[in-house]
Amino acid sequence: MKKCLLTAVFMAFFIFGAKAQEANTANQHILHDYQLYQKLNRSVYDTQSKFHSSIRGFYADDAKLKTAYDSLMNYGVDTLNRRSWVHRKLFQEHLLEFKTNEYHVYADFLADFQIGREFEGERTTWLNTRGFQIGGNIGEKFSFYLNGFENQGKFPGYVDDFIIANQVVPGQSFGKLEKDTKDWSYASALLSYTPNKYLNFALGYDKNFIGDGYRSMLLSDVSSNYSFFRLRATLGSFQYQTIYAYMLDPGAPKLTTDRRLGDRAKWMAAHYLDWNATNKLSIGFFQAVTWADAEVEGKRGFDFNYIHPFIFLRPVESSHFYSPDKMRLGLNVKYELLEKTALYGQFMFDEFTAKEFFAGNGYWANKWAIQLGFRGSDLFKVKRLNYLAEFNTARPYTYAHFDRLSNYSNFNQPLAHPFGANFKEFLGILNYSVKRFDFQGQALYANYGLDADGTNYGKDIFKSYDTRSVNYGSHIGQGIATDLFLMQGKVAYLLNPKYNVRLELGGLVRQEKNSLYNNKTAMVTFGLKTSFRNLYYDF
């Protein structure tokens, strides 16, 4: 009865927004790339209209974005066709393109060729990536996208240490990673179908992102790709998203020595409801549950108790008397304070004991994460000068569980913030575009507590919280107090907007220090880069 009542209340709340505005669920997804999305700020954060800015990726054929997106993709195109075929293919068009009234298909060669120098360790870094992309649409209801990359590279010392420790190239994949030169592959795929203006179905091997910030404390694109089925429903001022995901955990203890069974796996069901209450105010409600695909006792597989797209997951999860699953709840809020400035925030609730919380004794199981930030465009009245300032923090043991197969992670990386838990972070980003030039600068400071051998102070979400070193007096930064300072800048010249091929010069200064060590990195890089994708090395 309780479940039925919750479902009825939810459906009534969802349908209530139908009168507010014309429904619109489009079809053609824009790959989530921070620099590209910044260029859409003026359309996304517009006080004169409503937009579901926290559910990403966006749609290229969304009526609110289509003009701005088409303008970016067609910059410099010779409409009179006076340029040579070679010039058009290099600077204006896809390498291959077939277009009729019924379908549109394109294909491109993607390459990342980069050379760099890390001065502190006198280390030469490089990247040799060859890839491709194929995409398009059939009619207005079906679209598809596929890319693949083969990579070899040599990373700066701090990234190399991360790869060796976690056996994954950040945000990409595993491969031959033990040697100084890494060798790995990486692929993405997405099929999208929109049967009507209210619904979109997507089947993908990709990532998802929820939030208005650079980071997300709810669901980010930091980790590697994973398989998922996604439903989006739009009705009036409401947009609802359900994700059913299948993920791998190579670091989990194997149940058998038989290699044919591969890495152990986990499942996730995540629901998110975004409500544009007014043109300026949006409120989003998030819930996600994770569970192991198999345990020593036997295989569990997908739990069909979580398949209902329009139901609150918490009553379902708690109906398992001895549930091994882990539930997380969250809130996302955005308020467009000025015409071109938006305040945003997130609260992720992992676990909470009211008695201990109000006692103020630092009980370890009171676990939560917070994000606060503001962002905008046309800073100092300079067109296309975008800015973002953000604060993120998570208490110790947040996102962890007694079993790493049900913690909040995918392929040896967190599903939320790359630092895991037990940290606080301040960051700022400036982004400016003029003609074919893109400029971006970032500054970051973080404080967190690391673990000495044999301890667990709550930063490493892959450790069972049953091994915790603290019960009471738990606080952010406990353990080996560590400070991280990072500054980086990029200058890029865009050659072809269709697949974001550009010449890019970058520089990075990083320092991580505590009572045991003081690691410094200073480096410059230069290269030819392509494709739209977020790869995070600011950790």
Side-chain angles (χ1 to χ4, degrees):
M1 181 66 183
K2 182 179 179 182
K3 296 179 190 177
C4 294
L5 179 61
L6 286 170
T7 304
V9 171
F10 175 81
M11 291 299 293
F13 184 62
F14 184 75
I15 294 171
F16 175 76
K19 298 179 181 179
Q21 66 184 54
E22 182 66 20
N24 176 32
T25 298
N27 181 265
Q28 299 172 31
H29 291 265
I30 303 175
L31 298 178
H32 188 220
D33 175 79
Y34 178 80
Q35 194 170 57
L36 173 64
Y37 274 48
Q38 283 288 85
K39 296 178 182 180
L40 300 171
N41 269 356
R42 285 192 286 178
S43 298
V44 172
Y45 299 99
D46 181 2
T47 58
Q48 304 304 311
S49 63
K50 298 179 179 180
F51 189 84
H52 298 287
S53 58
S54 61
I55 299 181
R56 306 184 181 194
F58 299 154
Y59 298 103
D61 49 343
D62 188 299
K64 297 181 180 65
L65 295 183
K66 184 173 175 55
T67 300
Y69 181 76
D70 288 348
S71 176
L72 292 174
M73 292 298 103
N74 294 303
Y75 180 81
V77 170
D78 179 16
T79 57
L80 299 178
N81 204 27
R82 294 173 297 184
R83 297 288 190 175
S84 68
W85 181 89
V86 174
H87 185 278
R88 295 199 312 273
K89 294 302 176 183
L90 287 177
F91 301 107
Q92 299 176 1
E93 301 176 357
H94 292 290
L95 179 61
L96 299 174
E97 190 167 17
F98 309 94
K99 192 171 185 178
T100 71
N101 292 331
E102 298 180 353
Y103 64 86
H104 175 212
V105 179
Y106 62 85
D108 295 295
F109 171 73
L110 305 179
D112 282 2
F113 301 129
Q114 181 177 287
I115 188 74
R117 183 66 173 174
E118 183 182 1
F119 300 110
E120 193 72 20
E122 297 184 349
R123 179 184 179 91
T124 298
T125 65
W126 53 271
L127 179 64
N128 178 9
T129 295
R130 295 86 57 211
F132 70 92
Q133 70 171 6
I134 301 173
N137 61 277
I138 301 175
E140 296 181 353
K141 296 184 177 182
F142 179 79
S143 66
F144 59 93
Y145 180 79
L146 170 68
N147 68 28
F149 302 90
E150 181 63 30
N151 316 266
Q152 291 83 38
K154 187 175 180 179
F155 292 92
Y158 80 96
V159 178
D160 195 72
D161 292 341
F162 176 92
I163 294 172
I164 296 297
N166 296 277
Q167 285 299 289
V168 60
V169 177
Q172 296 181 70
S173 181
F174 70 97
K176 300 176 182 178
L177 306 180
E178 298 299 333
K179 297 181 179 180
D180 200 31
T181 297
K182 315 303 182 192
D183 190 327
W184 72 101
S185 58
Y186 173 84
S188 305
L190 188 71
L191 300 176
S192 175
Y193 176 63
T194 302
N196 54 54
K197 64 182 181 179
Y198 302 106
L199 295 172
N200 173 260
F201 302 97
L203 181 63
Y205 182 70
D206 206 334
K207 310 176 186 183
N208 293 276
F209 189 98
I210 293 176
D212 290 279
Y214 175 70
R215 310 286 199 192
S216 176
M217 309 305 287
L218 303 181
L219 180 60
S220 78
D221 57 352
V222 166
S223 71
S224 303
N225 289 345
Y226 48 87
S227 299
F228 63 87
F229 173 77
R230 183 176 68 204
L231 178 150
R232 287 183 186 174
T234 305
L235 189 63
S237 296
F238 293 89
Q239 189 168 90
Y240 185 79
Q241 176 174 272
T242 291
I243 299 170
Y244 305 111
Y246 179 79
M247 304 172 179
L248 296 178
D249 189 348
K254 301 293 189 293
L255 298 178
T256 176
T257 57
D258 191 338
R259 294 181 58 190
R260 292 174 296 177
L261 295 181
D263 296 319
R264 294 181 66 185
K266 68 190 337 176
W267 295 89
M268 179 183 75
H271 298 170
Y272 182 69
L273 172 67
D274 190 53
W275 175 36
N276 286 329
T278 69
N279 285 359
K280 295 184 177 182
L281 176 65
S282 296
I283 303 173
F285 304 93
F286 176 79
Q287 54 183 348
V289 61
T290 50
W291 68 95
D293 179 61
E295 292 289 6
V296 176
E297 296 77 12
K299 184 174 177 63
R300 179 179 175 186
F302 183 80
D303 190 333
F304 281 87
N305 285 300
Y306 300 125
I307 199 171
H308 308 286
F310 298 111
I311 193 169
F312 288 94
L313 295 176
R314 181 61 182 175
V316 179
E317 185 267 341
S318 60
S319 68
H320 296 272
F321 190 69
Y322 294 107
S323 174
D325 309 340
K326 182 58 181 173
M327 170 67 62
R328 293 168 182 88
L329 304 175
L331 180 70
N332 186 91
V333 179
K334 174 199 69 179
Y335 184 74
E336 296 176 18
L337 183 65
L338 302 171
E339 182 182 356
K340 299 174 182 177
T341 301
L343 303 177
Y344 62 89
Q346 291 183 334
F347 178 74
M348 201 290 303
F349 167 68
D350 192 329
E351 199 169 339
F352 178 77
T353 303
K355 177 183 176 181
E356 301 287 2
F357 177 81
F358 290 110
N361 52 18
Y363 186 50
W364 76 273
N366 287 331
K367 300 176 292 180
W368 42 259
I370 291 176
Q371 177 183 90
L372 295 171
F374 65 92
R375 63 183 303 160
S377 57
D378 298 356
L379 182 63
F380 305 127
K381 298 183 179 180
V382 179
K383 290 185 177 181
R384 297 175 299 278
L385 179 56
N386 304 302
Y387 60 93
L388 178 147
E390 187 172 290
F391 168 74
N392 300 295
T393 187
R395 277 185 54 79
Y397 310 107
T398 305
Y399 304 111
H401 203 211
F402 60 77
D403 183 355
R404 66 175 285 157
L405 263 298
S406 51
N407 74 354
Y408 205 53
S409 70
N410 166 54
F411 215 99
N412 295 348
Q413 286 191 268
L415 277 169
H417 197 287
F419 292 160
N422 190 18
F423 73 90
K424 55 186 176 182
E425 174 195 45
F426 302 85
L427 65 88
I429 300 176
L430 284 175
N431 184 285
Y432 176 59
S433 298
V434 54
K435 295 184 178 180
R436 289 185 178 269
F437 284 96
D438 290 331
F439 302 87
Q440 181 167 303
Q442 176 183 358
L444 180 155
Y445 166 72
N447 173 263
Y448 43 79
L450 298 177
D451 297 334
D453 290 343
T455 64
N456 180 7
Y457 284 100
K459 184 179 187 298
D460 187 349
I461 68 172
F462 295 95
K463 292 181 178 179
S464 168
Y465 58 44
D466 288 340
T467 65
R468 61 188 177 273
S469 300
V470 176
N471 280 321
Y472 289 94
S474 179
H475 63 277
I476 296 171
Q478 65 187 17
I480 303 173
T482 304
D483 293 311
L484 173 67
F485 303 89
L486 185 146
M487 295 183 67
Q488 63 178 338
K490 299 176 183 178
V491 180
Y493 182 78
L494 184 64
L495 299 175
N496 190 326
K498 287 293 194 298
Y499 50 103
N500 199 28
V501 59
R502 63 202 185 276
L503 295 172
E504 184 176 283
L505 175 66
L508 178 143
V509 177
R510 179 185 184 273
Q511 181 182 32
E512 184 183 31
K513 63 177 183 178
N514 55 37
S515 58
L516 302 179
Y517 60 78
N518 185 2
N519 293 334
K520 297 179 180 180
T521 301
M523 62 179 299
V524 295
T525 58
F526 178 76
L528 176 74
K529 301 178 71 66
T530 61
S531 81
F532 299 99
R533 52 179 178 160
N534 285 330
L535 299 176
Y536 299 90
Y537 297 103
D538 50 353
F539 54 80

